[in-house]
Amino acid sequence: MRFDLLTIFPQLLDSPLNEGIIKRARASEALQIETHNIRDFALDKHACTDDRPFGGGEGMVMKPEPLIAALQAVHKKTPGGHVVFMTPQGRPYNQKLAAELARRPHLVIICGRYEGVDARVEEYIDDEVSIGDYVLTGGELPAMVLIDSITRLLPGVLGCDDSAAGDSFSRGLLKHPQYTRPRVFAGQTVPEVLISGDHGAIAKWRLAQSVNRTRVRRPDLLEKAAFSEDELRGLKADGTDTKGLRHRQKQKIRLDIALVHYPVSNKNNEIIGSAITNLDLHDIARASATYGVDTYYVITPYADQQTLAREIMAHWQSGHGAAYNPDRQEAFRRVEVLGSLAELYGAVTKKWHGRPLVLATSAAKQTADLSYHKVRQRLAAGERMLVLFGTGWGLAPEAVEQVDAFLPPLGGEGYNHLAVRSAAAIILDRLLG
Ligand code: 9D3
């Protein structure tokens, strides 16, 4: 992330930009910051940056020429920056706007002084931001607020990617009280539950504390927060007032998997169709039922193979098999046999009213582009996904081409030949377990 700052008081920014996490982020190159003195771009011999307002009135107005000359110098050196003007008239700043701005690779921040800036600079500006309804003497401290709050959202800046997600505002509740050593300070002791080692009880206690604090200090936030069924039950059981708390609908998991028998590679890198195996059919169906996969698709173009698969399933779904093992009947209820990847994409797109994200594992040393953690989060948030499992020596290149993203390979060093049903079980546990 790059910031260019335009100001008439660059020295004002020196120490906030050279301490702590921001200093470390700049050293790691996650963050580049350059300050520019608008006065250096003033043409007259007094290097004047302000003048009296046309039409009369109190105070001075920032002149357009030096400011725009500075802005154009920045654009010339590093093109494409999103220009943000700090002003009391801007969009109210909050965590959501911080996250929005953090997604941009380059911000150019203009810090105003005096009573305002000549209105003709407006057309050079992409965004206006205010940090709140109180009057400051200029935009420099607001710019520091932006940089500080955006920096800590950048990947790799806080030790763990999740520390930013665990903040006060990320779920719309205030943080619970926190304690460290000593256990007794000036007669006050640390709550017993925090020393119990019972992580479930600690999480429940913290949520109750967050809710109670938010109710007292920021009732406006409590109205917007949402709670899962489990959370509401836990809060109520421990005597926390749950009146007025909004209930969050549990997201339906929209995950399908497909076992692809064609097109796959053999060990000579030729494209082949592999044979359906009884074990893969049974075991992956049982794993799918266990973890809540919506449909387990079995893809084979061969009519005899399709018939074989359907006969195996029919045995367990009706007659002797069903009576003998009703759980197997339940598992096979979510299996569907289709003839091609094209049919598969058609079926899932129709079922979910839109094409899901298509994933595969990168057994063939493909670079992984989505972590299991990330996919797990996105599934929990309701995103549609389809995971392809290649049989034989893996999906053929023409099938790989249609994949949107790859999961990291399973296993460790050396020997790496998991059965596809083992891989499917492990991946399902990582994504849904
Ligand atoms: C008399 C009208 N004033 C507007 C409220 C004029 C004025 C006061 C203060 C114009 C500029 C300023 C300086 N403030 C900023 O540049 C500023 C600011 C702020 O004062 N509060 C909250 N956010 C911001 S962002 C930039």
Side-chain angles (χ1 to χ4, degrees):
M1 177 97 185
R2 180 180 174 87
F3 290 98
D4 283 283
L5 286 153
L6 309 190
T7 168
I8 58 167
F9 295 129
Q11 291 172 52
L12 188 60
L13 313 177
D14 284 348
S15 89
L17 297 180
N18 287 297
E19 298 286 354
I21 287 170
I22 293 178
K23 177 183 180 179
R24 204 178 56 205
R26 292 179 79 177
S28 79
E29 285 173 6
L31 182 64
Q32 287 172 284
I33 303 178
E34 209 175 312
T35 58
H36 308 267
N37 191 339
I38 297 168
R39 201 175 291 282
D40 294 343
F41 296 84
L43 298 170
D44 64 302
K45 65 175 188 235
H46 303 295
C48 221
T49 56
D50 63 330
D51 208 338
R52 289 168 308 160
F54 277 121
E58 288 293 295
M60 299 292 271
V61 174
M62 208 158 184
K63 289 164 67 63
E65 308 96 315
L67 178 56
I68 297 307
L71 186 61
Q72 278 166 344
V74 167
H75 281 320
K76 188 162 178 211
K77 188 176 165 201
T78 347
H82 183 73
V83 181
V84 180
F85 178 42
M86 305 309 303
T87 164
Q89 283 89 53
R91 297 161 71 188
Y93 197 60
N94 56 27
Q95 194 62 29
K96 186 161 171 249
L97 184 48
E100 180 192 321
L101 293 174
R103 284 197 294 271
R104 297 196 177 266
H106 182 193
L107 296 179
V108 181
I109 305 183
I110 301 174
C111 312
R113 281 272 153 179
Y114 318 117
E115 274 304 292
V117 175
D118 188 290
R120 288 166 292 186
V121 309
E122 269 175 28
E123 64 179 274
Y124 298 85
I125 287 165
D126 300 314
D127 231 336
E128 298 189 348
V129 175
S130 159
I131 62 161
D133 296 338
Y134 38 83
V135 184
L136 301 168
T137 59
E140 285 79 8
L141 295 179
M144 293 304 96
V145 168
L146 245 68
I147 292 180
D148 193 277
S149 53
I150 289 171
T151 297
R152 59 185 296 292
L153 294 177
L154 299 177
V157 166
L158 300 187
C160 166
D161 263 2
D162 285 339
S163 12
D167 296 339
S168 260
F169 291 105
S170 60
R171 75 162 292 185
L173 293 176
L174 298 183
K175 186 112 187 171
H176 50 78
Q178 302 193 94
Y179 297 86
T180 183
R181 287 186 295 186
R183 279 198 190 188
V184 184
F185 168 70
Q188 300 187 77
T189 52
V190 174
E192 208 55 48
V193 62
L194 297 180
I195 303 154
S196 68
D198 180 343
H199 296 291
I202 291 171
K204 273 174 77 179
W205 180 84
R206 285 179 167 164
L207 182 64
Q209 291 288 321
S210 282
V211 168
N212 290 334
R213 270 191 169 192
T214 311
R215 194 189 299 287
V216 171
R217 301 180 194 191
R218 293 291 305 276
D220 58 311
L221 292 180
L222 206 56
E223 274 166 39
K224 286 179 246 161
F227 299 85
S228 73
E229 202 91 63
D230 278 359
E231 286 172 339
L232 288 175
R233 207 176 306 120
L235 285 166
K236 219 178 266 164
D238 290 356
T240 303
D241 181 9
T242 57
K243 247 200 294 343
L245 298 192
R246 268 202 318 137
H247 173 241
R248 184 188 336 119
Q249 217 53 42
K250 194 166 185 282
Q251 281 285 353
K252 177 176 168 58
I253 292 295
R254 299 196 286 181
L255 175 67
D256 297 307
I257 64 172
L259 185 66
V260 181
H261 297 86
Y262 177 89
V264 295
S265 299
N266 68 8
K267 64 173 154 185
N268 301 319
N269 274 328
E270 295 155 330
I271 295 175
I272 55 150
S274 64
I276 280 180
T277 74
N278 205 347
L279 277 175
D280 286 341
L281 204 62
H282 280 259
D283 292 358
I284 298 176
R286 291 161 69 183
S288 296
T290 303
Y291 289 99
V293 167
D294 197 79
T295 308
Y296 165 32
Y297 293 97
V298 176
I299 311 301
T300 176
Y302 308 116
D304 59 333
Q305 294 278 302
Q306 292 182 4
T307 307
L308 173 69
R310 292 194 177 107
E311 276 172 5
I312 294 171
M313 294 193 292
H315 170 73
W316 294 97
Q317 287 200 287
S318 54
H320 175 68
Y324 175 73
N325 189 343
D327 292 337
R328 201 59 57 93
Q329 177 182 26
E330 162 68 23
F332 277 141
R333 218 173 266 143
R334 58 192 75 221
V335 185
E336 239 178 84
V337 182
L338 293 177
S340 67
L341 285 175
E343 270 180 52
L344 170 67
Y345 294 137
V348 291
T349 302
K350 183 159 176 234
K351 177 170 77 169
W352 300 124
H353 307 289
R355 189 181 154 101
L357 191 78
V358 181
L359 298 168
T361 45
S362 51
K365 296 256 181 306
Q366 221 94 32
T367 45
D369 26 37
L370 273 181
S371 67
Y372 289 100
H373 179 69
K374 198 83 224 153
V375 172
R376 188 182 170 86
Q377 284 181 337
R378 286 168 64 169
L379 279 171
E383 191 168 337
R384 306 168 285 230
M385 303 225 190
L386 168 66
V387 182
L388 302 183
F389 293 100
T391 55
W393 263 253
L395 294 174
E398 61 185 272
V400 170
E401 251 172 53
Q402 297 176 59
V403 170
D404 298 315
F406 290 91
L407 290 163
L410 296 173
E413 297 293 304
Y415 190 88
N416 203 343
H417 299 279
L418 282 174
V420 69
R421 60 184 177 279
S422 304
I426 292 165
I427 287 174
L428 289 181
D429 191 68
R430 288 186 182 181
L431 298 183
L432 305 172

